[in-house]
Amino acid sequence: MINAVTRRYVDRCAEAESPLRNAARKLSLPAVYSQSFGQVLLDRPLFADRTETEEFADDLRSLFTLMTSLPARLYGGDLRAYCAAIGMDDRLAELMCRGSVQPPVLHARADAYHDGTRFHLLELNAGSELGGTDTAQQNRAWLRVPEFAAFAEEHGLRHLDTTPRVAAALRRAAEPVTGGEPVVALIESTGGLAAHEHVFTAVREAMAAEGITLLLGEIHELAERNGKITLRGTPLDVILRYFVAGELLDDPTGQQVLDTLIRADARDAPRSSCPWTAGSTPARAASPSSTTRPSGPS
């Protein structure tokens, strides 16, 4: 069943002289985000009931907590035993468990759909290598269109902006090693940047708007100098991991760099999550922790 706000928006757009009919043509998106995603956006915003969305978010939080608690609940916290029970390859299990000292930080993206009555979950993606952290830029752009801003104000529409939350999480991760703005590196596997570079540059653009310097690199470009991890010679405060475990199985150099990151993070403070949930640096492990509860345009 279509929700009331969506019905009102569609009805307004059906009016011949409605200023909402061409509101999508007036969107002013950030340059890189527009180049990356501007051609695949819908011609109108989508609306979701706030209470319904928040209840779904609470369910997702509970599911995340349950899933990440299974090793402790069923195997006494033995991650290798858990990996064996789910049939994971031994090499992959060994690699994934390196440096794991705490449960994963809450940072996930739900792939879900709405059937007209409620949300249904397709899959829950967890880890630091999630796309979509800059999606809220669409909401900002819609609210800068006067015609839509008036509609949003009339109907009390709101949205949760995830971008500042990600930036805040990166700053928290960097606090023990820097007194100013952190230098953050988004790190892919060797050869991994090219396939999704448009996504990464859009994230970099979003972080820049929040005052975060985000460098892009690949794992083989990392090194250690004077106790500090560097990317092409630039000292880093936080690494945001975007490579996955399987990409390092046949990459001895990448595994060596990973071990260097784990040792560096352990020297700083032994509180990082499993490296496949959060990247490690001599500064901090960085896995943005936030619960996204969008309402209004999304």
Side-chain angles (χ1 to χ4, degrees), residues 7 92 96 114 139 145 155 158 164 168 171 243 251 264 286 292:
R7 174 62 65 191
L92 182 59
M96 290 189 69
H114 197 285
N139 294 342
V145 177
H155 294 87
R158 300 290 184 269
R171 288 189 174 96
F243 55 85
D251 181 5
T292 304

PDB file of all heavy atoms in Angstrom, residues 7 92 96 114 139 145 155 158 164 168 171 243 251 264 286 292:
ATOM      1  N   ARG A   7       1.616   9.353  -1.855  1.00  0.00           N
ATOM      2  CA  ARG A   7       0.386   9.642  -2.598  1.00  0.00           C
ATOM      3  C   ARG A   7       0.223  11.133  -2.825  1.00  0.00           C
ATOM      4  O   ARG A   7      -0.112  11.583  -3.942  1.00  0.00           O
ATOM      5  CB  ARG A   7      -0.813   9.081  -1.825  1.00  0.00           C
ATOM      6  CG  ARG A   7      -2.175   9.445  -2.421  1.00  0.00           C
ATOM      7  CD  ARG A   7      -2.338   8.884  -3.823  1.00  0.00           C
ATOM      8  NE  ARG A   7      -2.358   7.426  -3.793  1.00  0.00           N
ATOM      9  CZ  ARG A   7      -2.287   6.677  -4.874  1.00  0.00           C
ATOM     10  NH1 ARG A   7      -2.140   7.253  -6.061  1.00  0.00           N
ATOM     11  NH2 ARG A   7      -2.309   5.355  -4.787  1.00  0.00           N
ATOM     12  N   LEU A  92      41.490 -19.223   4.649  1.00  0.00           N
ATOM     13  CA  LEU A  92      40.712 -17.998   4.801  1.00  0.00           C
ATOM     14  C   LEU A  92      40.412 -17.737   6.270  1.00  0.00           C
ATOM     15  O   LEU A  92      40.498 -16.600   6.735  1.00  0.00           O
ATOM     16  CB  LEU A  92      39.411 -18.113   4.006  1.00  0.00           C
ATOM     17  CG  LEU A  92      38.492 -16.882   4.024  1.00  0.00           C
ATOM     18  CD1 LEU A  92      39.216 -15.661   3.463  1.00  0.00           C
ATOM     19  CD2 LEU A  92      37.220 -17.165   3.231  1.00  0.00           C
ATOM     20  N   MET A  96      41.373 -14.412   8.324  1.00  0.00           N
ATOM     21  CA  MET A  96      40.322 -13.554   8.874  1.00  0.00           C
ATOM     22  C   MET A  96      40.448 -13.356  10.378  1.00  0.00           C
ATOM     23  O   MET A  96      40.014 -12.332  10.922  1.00  0.00           O
ATOM     24  CB  MET A  96      38.948 -14.128   8.540  1.00  0.00           C
ATOM     25  CG  MET A  96      38.570 -14.027   7.076  1.00  0.00           C
ATOM     26  SD  MET A  96      36.854 -14.463   6.765  1.00  0.00           S
ATOM     27  CE  MET A  96      36.001 -13.110   7.544  1.00  0.00           C
ATOM     28  N   HIS A 114      10.546  -2.984   0.281  1.00  0.00           N
ATOM     29  CA  HIS A 114       9.268  -2.750   0.944  1.00  0.00           C
ATOM     30  C   HIS A 114       8.166  -3.290   0.041  1.00  0.00           C
ATOM     31  O   HIS A 114       8.085  -2.942  -1.135  1.00  0.00           O
ATOM     32  CB  HIS A 114       9.072  -1.247   1.190  1.00  0.00           C
ATOM     33  CG  HIS A 114       8.023  -0.930   2.205  1.00  0.00           C
ATOM     34  ND1 HIS A 114       6.680  -1.040   1.945  1.00  0.00           N
ATOM     35  CD2 HIS A 114       8.125  -0.506   3.499  1.00  0.00           C
ATOM     36  CE1 HIS A 114       5.991  -0.698   3.019  1.00  0.00           C
ATOM     37  NE2 HIS A 114       6.836  -0.355   3.974  1.00  0.00           N
ATOM     38  N   ASN A 139      19.708  13.540  -0.373  1.00  0.00           N
ATOM     39  CA  ASN A 139      18.737  14.226   0.480  1.00  0.00           C
ATOM     40  C   ASN A 139      19.063  15.708   0.604  1.00  0.00           C
ATOM     41  O   ASN A 139      18.182  16.568   0.549  1.00  0.00           O
ATOM     42  CB  ASN A 139      18.716  13.591   1.865  1.00  0.00           C
ATOM     43  CG  ASN A 139      18.205  12.159   1.830  1.00  0.00           C
ATOM     44  OD1 ASN A 139      17.568  11.752   0.870  1.00  0.00           O
ATOM     45  ND2 ASN A 139      18.492  11.405   2.871  1.00  0.00           N
ATOM     46  N   VAL A 145      16.291  22.283  -3.301  1.00  0.00           N
ATOM     47  CA  VAL A 145      15.335  22.670  -4.341  1.00  0.00           C
ATOM     48  C   VAL A 145      14.140  23.337  -3.644  1.00  0.00           C
ATOM     49  O   VAL A 145      13.431  22.671  -2.885  1.00  0.00           O
ATOM     50  CB  VAL A 145      14.866  21.447  -5.152  1.00  0.00           C
ATOM     51  CG1 VAL A 145      13.816  21.850  -6.188  1.00  0.00           C
ATOM     52  CG2 VAL A 145      16.053  20.773  -5.832  1.00  0.00           C
ATOM     53  N   HIS A 155       5.104  18.724   5.185  1.00  0.00           N
ATOM     54  CA  HIS A 155       4.784  17.380   5.661  1.00  0.00           C
ATOM     55  C   HIS A 155       5.735  16.893   6.763  1.00  0.00           C
ATOM     56  O   HIS A 155       5.689  15.725   7.151  1.00  0.00           O
ATOM     57  CB  HIS A 155       4.807  16.397   4.484  1.00  0.00           C
ATOM     58  CG  HIS A 155       3.720  16.645   3.481  1.00  0.00           C
ATOM     59  ND1 HIS A 155       3.872  17.526   2.437  1.00  0.00           N
ATOM     60  CD2 HIS A 155       2.455  16.152   3.402  1.00  0.00           C
ATOM     61  CE1 HIS A 155       2.752  17.558   1.728  1.00  0.00           C
ATOM     62  NE2 HIS A 155       1.875  16.744   2.289  1.00  0.00           N
ATOM     63  N   ARG A 158      11.990  14.558   7.331  1.00  0.00           N
ATOM     64  CA  ARG A 158      13.352  14.654   7.855  1.00  0.00           C
ATOM     65  C   ARG A 158      14.172  13.503   7.307  1.00  0.00           C
ATOM     66  O   ARG A 158      13.634  12.492   6.857  1.00  0.00           O
ATOM     67  CB  ARG A 158      13.344  14.608   9.391  1.00  0.00           C
ATOM     68  CG  ARG A 158      12.556  15.715  10.061  1.00  0.00           C
ATOM     69  CD  ARG A 158      13.242  17.071   9.893  1.00  0.00           C
ATOM     70  NE  ARG A 158      12.536  18.116  10.623  1.00  0.00           N
ATOM     71  CZ  ARG A 158      11.566  18.858  10.101  1.00  0.00           C
ATOM     72  NH1 ARG A 158      11.174  18.633   8.853  1.00  0.00           N
ATOM     73  NH2 ARG A 158      10.972  19.796  10.808  1.00  0.00           N
ATOM     74  N   PRO A 164      28.131  12.943   8.222  1.00  0.00           N
ATOM     75  CA  PRO A 164      28.809  13.463   9.416  1.00  0.00           C
ATOM     76  C   PRO A 164      29.075  12.383  10.456  1.00  0.00           C
ATOM     77  O   PRO A 164      30.046  12.472  11.206  1.00  0.00           O
ATOM     78  CB  PRO A 164      27.819  14.516   9.949  1.00  0.00           C
ATOM     79  CG  PRO A 164      26.955  14.872   8.799  1.00  0.00           C
ATOM     80  CD  PRO A 164      26.849  13.635   7.977  1.00  0.00           C
ATOM     81  N   ALA A 168      32.607  11.575  12.045  1.00  0.00           N
ATOM     82  CA  ALA A 168      32.805  11.584  13.492  1.00  0.00           C
ATOM     83  C   ALA A 168      33.462  10.293  13.968  1.00  0.00           C
ATOM     84  O   ALA A 168      34.316  10.297  14.858  1.00  0.00           O
ATOM     85  CB  ALA A 168      31.468  11.788  14.199  1.00  0.00           C
ATOM     86  N   ARG A 171      37.119  10.427  13.226  1.00  0.00           N
ATOM     87  CA  ARG A 171      37.807  11.304  14.188  1.00  0.00           C
ATOM     88  C   ARG A 171      37.997  10.595  15.524  1.00  0.00           C
ATOM     89  O   ARG A 171      39.052  10.717  16.151  1.00  0.00           O
ATOM     90  CB  ARG A 171      37.020  12.607  14.366  1.00  0.00           C
ATOM     91  CG  ARG A 171      37.080  13.545  13.164  1.00  0.00           C
ATOM     92  CD  ARG A 171      36.475  14.905  13.488  1.00  0.00           C
ATOM     93  NE  ARG A 171      36.665  15.825  12.381  1.00  0.00           N
ATOM     94  CZ  ARG A 171      35.741  16.059  11.438  1.00  0.00           C
ATOM     95  NH1 ARG A 171      34.566  15.437  11.499  1.00  0.00           N
ATOM     96  NH2 ARG A 171      35.979  16.900  10.455  1.00  0.00           N
ATOM     97  N   PHE A 243      39.443  -3.669   1.270  1.00  0.00           N
ATOM     98  CA  PHE A 243      39.749  -4.964   0.667  1.00  0.00           C
ATOM     99  C   PHE A 243      39.110  -6.048   1.522  1.00  0.00           C
ATOM    100  O   PHE A 243      38.835  -5.851   2.703  1.00  0.00           O
ATOM    101  CB  PHE A 243      41.263  -5.186   0.559  1.00  0.00           C
ATOM    102  CG  PHE A 243      42.014  -5.051   1.845  1.00  0.00           C
ATOM    103  CD1 PHE A 243      42.129  -6.116   2.724  1.00  0.00           C
ATOM    104  CD2 PHE A 243      42.620  -3.849   2.187  1.00  0.00           C
ATOM    105  CE1 PHE A 243      42.826  -5.995   3.926  1.00  0.00           C
ATOM    106  CE2 PHE A 243      43.317  -3.713   3.381  1.00  0.00           C
ATOM    107  CZ  PHE A 243      43.423  -4.791   4.254  1.00  0.00           C
ATOM    108  N   ASP A 251      48.175 -13.362  -2.016  1.00  0.00           N
ATOM    109  CA  ASP A 251      48.969 -12.129  -2.099  1.00  0.00           C
ATOM    110  C   ASP A 251      49.899 -12.067  -0.882  1.00  0.00           C
ATOM    111  O   ASP A 251      49.583 -11.427   0.122  1.00  0.00           O
ATOM    112  CB  ASP A 251      48.036 -10.916  -2.128  1.00  0.00           C
ATOM    113  CG  ASP A 251      48.792  -9.594  -2.233  1.00  0.00           C
ATOM    114  OD1 ASP A 251      50.029  -9.627  -2.383  1.00  0.00           O
ATOM    115  OD2 ASP A 251      48.138  -8.530  -2.153  1.00  0.00           O
ATOM    116  N   ALA A 264      51.145  -2.683  14.368  1.00  0.00           N
ATOM    117  CA  ALA A 264      51.129  -1.253  14.658  1.00  0.00           C
ATOM    118  C   ALA A 264      49.917  -0.875  15.498  1.00  0.00           C
ATOM    119  O   ALA A 264      50.014  -0.100  16.449  1.00  0.00           O
ATOM    120  CB  ALA A 264      51.135  -0.466  13.343  1.00  0.00           C
ATOM    121  N   ALA A 286      39.527   1.677  12.150  1.00  0.00           N
ATOM    122  CA  ALA A 286      38.425   2.575  11.821  1.00  0.00           C
ATOM    123  C   ALA A 286      37.288   1.814  11.186  1.00  0.00           C
ATOM    124  O   ALA A 286      37.413   1.310  10.095  1.00  0.00           O
ATOM    125  CB  ALA A 286      38.890   3.665  10.869  1.00  0.00           C
ATOM    126  N   THR A 292      21.679   3.858  10.794  1.00  0.00           N
ATOM    127  CA  THR A 292      21.020   4.744   9.857  1.00  0.00           C
ATOM    128  C   THR A 292      19.508   4.583   9.975  1.00  0.00           C
ATOM    129  O   THR A 292      18.993   3.496   9.789  1.00  0.00           O
ATOM    130  CB  THR A 292      21.450   4.431   8.419  1.00  0.00           C
ATOM    131  OG1 THR A 292      22.866   4.523   8.360  1.00  0.00           O
ATOM    132  CG2 THR A 292      20.834   5.389   7.435  1.00  0.00           C
TER     133      THR A 292
END
